[in-house]
């Protein structure tokens, strides 16, 4: 039997799948051997008969190799490439008619799109299960980076967002979005009490530890302050926890657990926001923006009114005659969608939004179809980041969301945001790559020597 298994496994080129195929074949052979013995054969005869029934090992191995091979999501790569080219052309047009910081940002952005695309392809070749295997260590590093930024980061408009590493400025607010797929790996480690060797622990205690991994990074991101990113992280991680709970990963009452989690974490942000608003948790400019947005008055509400007017005054195609560079601030970053609609027409803006919606739909489609539960949850985490950030940015451009630091994935300037977006997409490509390789569950344990 061992020689047969060895001959079959040698035909499979993907080394990652070999242990799982060997285990499945071994279980099948052992079941068949036991059936043969039960029918009256001796052990040696039962083994020979079971191996013979499996067929030629070379042919069997070649057939399994055709089934269990890496896959490439060409359609998704093509869509990302088209969006990236469109974004590069838009920023080329912005840079050609701009000066100063806007020129520098958009000029660098064109380069960052190319670099980001290469990073995405590099991530494709990384096994996504490694993220889950070292998820707690990665999470601690991200939390540590957040704390470092809070203590030693560079102030920009009252927020400590930037740190310098090897002459490179890193936007920690952008990097913290990677915490969401990492959190998916942490959740996977805790399924069915697998994160601890103590079998007497309760599922409720596991959920408490999971909530710790969720609350701590959100708290530190809020302290920057980066409220929109904290909100995005919270919503995304709550969604992942809901999916994991509904899948039965934790031995608790599903309706009670899901209702309690959402009840607490929908109420706490409201209470926390009120406390931060009336305390010292928000910068003065943030308080002014919120008051202006909800009261519809004040100088800080000027931008919201401009955005609302822009949304209804754009022509279907072509410029509406308004100079976006004068009318709208940050027109190459947070409000790039408004710039596109003003300069090229409403149809252009809608096409960009539809392209991003199609990309997000593909991400969720790939994730939800995964046989492997880790890939499913991690892919949904990447999708949630893209979904929530896209919706918030579009709502902000329409004047339906208070002015804040947001970005439109694959379109807004900002090197850190661009690279992080491509990393998220690369993770999804890696998940798709192994869709026919990994079984429902994989081992993500690791030992520190």
């Amino acid at each position: 039997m061992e020689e047969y298994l060895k001959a079959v496994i040698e035909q499979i080129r993907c080394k990652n799948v070999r242990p799982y195929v060997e285990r499945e074949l071994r279980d099948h052979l052992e079941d068949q051997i036991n059936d043969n013995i039960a029918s009256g054969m001796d052990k040696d005869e039962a083994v020979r008969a079971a191996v013979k029934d499996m067929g030629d090992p070379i042919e069997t191995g070649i057939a399994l190799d055709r089934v269990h091979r890496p896959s490439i999501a060409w359609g998704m790569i093509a869509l990302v490439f088209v969006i990236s080219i469109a974004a590069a052309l838009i920023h080329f047009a912005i840079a050609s008619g701009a000066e100063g910081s806007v020129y520098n940002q958009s000029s660098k952005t064109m380069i960052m799109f190319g670099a980001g695309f290469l990073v995405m392809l590099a991530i494709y070749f990384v096994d996504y299960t490694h993220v889950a295997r070292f998820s707690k260590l990665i999470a601690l590093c991200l939390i540590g980076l957040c704390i470092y930024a809070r203590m030693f980061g560079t102030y920009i408009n009252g927020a400590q967002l930037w740190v310098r590493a090897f002459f490179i400025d890193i936007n920690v607010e952008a990097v913290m979005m990677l915490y969401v797929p990492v959190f998916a790996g942490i959740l996977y480690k805790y399924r069915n009490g697998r994160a601890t060797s103590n079998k007497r622990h309760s599922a409720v205690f596991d959920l408490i530890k999971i909530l710790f991994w969720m609350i701590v990074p959100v708290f530190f991101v809020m302290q920057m302050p980066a409220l929109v990113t904290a909100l995005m992280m919270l919503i995304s991680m709550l969604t992942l926890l809901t999916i994991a709970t509904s899948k039965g990963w934790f031995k608790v009452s599903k309706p009670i657990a899901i209702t309690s989690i959402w009840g607490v974490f929908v109420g706490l942000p409201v209470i926390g926001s009120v406390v931060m608003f009336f305390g010292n948790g928000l910068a003065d400019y943030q308080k002014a923006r919120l008051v202006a947005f909800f009261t519809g008055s004040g100088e800080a509400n000027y931008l919201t009114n401009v955005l609302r007017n822009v949304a209804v005054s754009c022509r279907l195609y072509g410029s509406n005659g308004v100079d976006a560079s004068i009318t709208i601030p940050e027109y190459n970053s947070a409000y790039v969608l408004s710039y596109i609609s003003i300069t090229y027409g409403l149809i252009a803006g809608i096409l960009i939004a539809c392209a991003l919606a199609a990309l997000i739909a593909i991400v969720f489609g790939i994730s939800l179809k995964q046989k492997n539960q880790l890939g499913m949850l991690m892919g949904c985490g990447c999708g949630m980041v893209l979904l929530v950030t896209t919706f918030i940015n579009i709502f902000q451009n329409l004047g339906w969301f208070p002015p804040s630091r947001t970005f439109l994935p694959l379109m807004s300037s900002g090197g850190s945001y661009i690279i992080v977006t491509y990393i998220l997409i690369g993770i999804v490509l890696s998940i798709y790559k192994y869709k026919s390789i990994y079984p429902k569950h994989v081992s993500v344990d690791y030992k520190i020597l």
Side-chain angles (χ1 to χ4, degrees), residues 326-341:
I326 298 176
T327 307
I328 301 176
E330 301 179 45
Y331 62 93
N332 66 333
S333 54
Y335 302 104
V336 67
L337 189 62
S338 294
Y339 168 84
I340 294 171
S341 300

Side-chain angles (χ1 to χ4, degrees), residues 20 22 38 46-47 82 97 140 157 168 193 218 226 246 266 297 311 333 381 416 424 426:
Y20 302 103
E22 182 179 0
V47 172
V82 170
L140 289 174
N157 292 328
I168 299 176
V218 172
S246 66
V266 167
S297 60
S333 54
S416 297
L424 293 171

Side-chain angles (χ1 to χ4, degrees), residues 164-179:
R164 171 159 289 194
F166 303 107
F167 307 103
I168 299 176
D169 291 322
I170 300 173
N171 187 324
V172 179
E173 181 181 12
V175 173
M176 286 305 294
M177 293 189 297
L178 294 175
Y179 191 93

